[in-house]
Amino acid sequence: MKRPQAQVAVLQAADAQEDRRIDDVASEADLQPQAAARAAFELEADGLVAVSEETVAHYELTEEGDRYVRESLPEQDLYAAAMDAGAGDGPVQMGQVIGASGLEGGAVDIALSNYARKGYGEIDSGEITADPDVSPGQDPEMLALEAVADGRVDDAEEAALDQLERRGLVEVHEETIRSVVLTDDGVTALMEGVEVAETVDQLTPELLTSGEWDEVEFTEYNVEADAEDAPHGKEHILRQTANRVKDTLVGMGFQEMEGPHVDAQFWINDCLFMPQDHPARTHWDQFALEQPDEIGDLPEELVDRVRSAHKEGVGPDGEGYHSPWEEDVARGLDLRGHTTSLSMRYLSGEEVGELEPPERYFSVEKVYRNDTLDPTHLLEFFQIEGWVMAEDLSVRDLMGTFTEFYEQFGITDLEFKPHYNPYTEPSFELFGTHPETGEIVEVGNSGIFRDEVLEPLGVDCDVMAWGLSLERLLMLIYGFEDIRDVHGTLCDLELLRETEVMH
Ligand code: PHE
């Protein structure tokens, strides 16, 4: 007969006359106890052995039990104090007895309840008596406690042990002991000879056709074996960071904007008071669309107001650019060079209707610029756009908002530099320090929108706004030096896999 190795070992170690503990069989056969038990059950299923089980209780003193066995039970202390105070002859004041017993806190309650339960005496309206015939030295619970302590549990009374367990003075652990004994069939099999079956790890057509599969043992799956690491997809760290930025801004009370990646120059430039014939207009070198080359519709009244702002300016002393303004140019389609186009759409009331201050909006979206590629510039990047509409905003509010926002990413060394934008006054650029190189890195641009922007949009309170770079934020948090490691075809996959984004 051919049998798996563990079964052969158990069969050979088992006895026909007496039960042997499986654990002993296992150590003799050099098997793990679980492997020996499994083999024994398999042999039992084939009638070659019988397995029996018995449960053994192990008693152990708890910390409290251990203390009492070394000293005494609280009720024994109370009894001794009561006897000393003469409670054996009649009721004595309880307070006096407790004071003399040395019992404190919870021990008093324990002593009182067990005293009464054990009939050491009576406790009634503030008085205590002691039964002089009791001999607390023979307290069955104390004797049982001592038996457990000395490893003589068999000497202890069952009821006393139960009581100790209830009082939390001993803990009981149950152990199941399995034993195995050979059956007649097992004895016969051994006499006829049992061999270890060959183990195979793969079922082959040969094994099947020869019928040998019935003779061999199949190796088991080892689910704990080391396996090769299979790199799997995960969310890009930029996307993870974008989500963190969104959560942060939502936490600061902002709502999210969305809108087209390709948009009319009207929304990208004209609403922002960028003169059509001015170099500022192309200062990011936006990518223009050939097909389609024009937006379908623009809000006509807003177009008129924007045209007038460009030509004549706003307000009684307004100054416009005094240069041509063509609606055709405004209708031209570009890949947006900033998401301030979304801010214009929202502020104009086009997206979610007229807005009443205070309002806060943001987006974390891609923008496209015809930049020269270098370690800090790509043709596209994610802009963290945002604005706050409220009465009476100042530069302090702007700086306070940035400080609060960047602090959540551990960046506390922001610097501000005055700047020029055609659409904001004042304007500020923001800088942070690169954690690896120590260089000052520009992280964003901001300002308070000019009247020439707000008036045509129909907004008559203050709006402060910004565009920050998500990639630069990532650089400051994680110390990347080249943005091309993170983005695009040259990205460093290892770095992307291993970087853990904080949440
Ligand atoms: N649009 C600016 C940029 O892309 C950022 C900005 C937005 C500045 C809003 C001021 C106000 O750099």
Side-chain angles (χ1 to χ4, degrees), residues 284 337-338 340 369 383 385-386 421 423-424 445-447 449 465-467:
W284 298 314
H338 57 190
T340 318
R369 295 184 189 177
Q383 195 162 48
E385 183 83 20
N421 293 313
Y423 40 95
T424 48
N445 175 13
S446 66
F449 281 128
W466 54 85

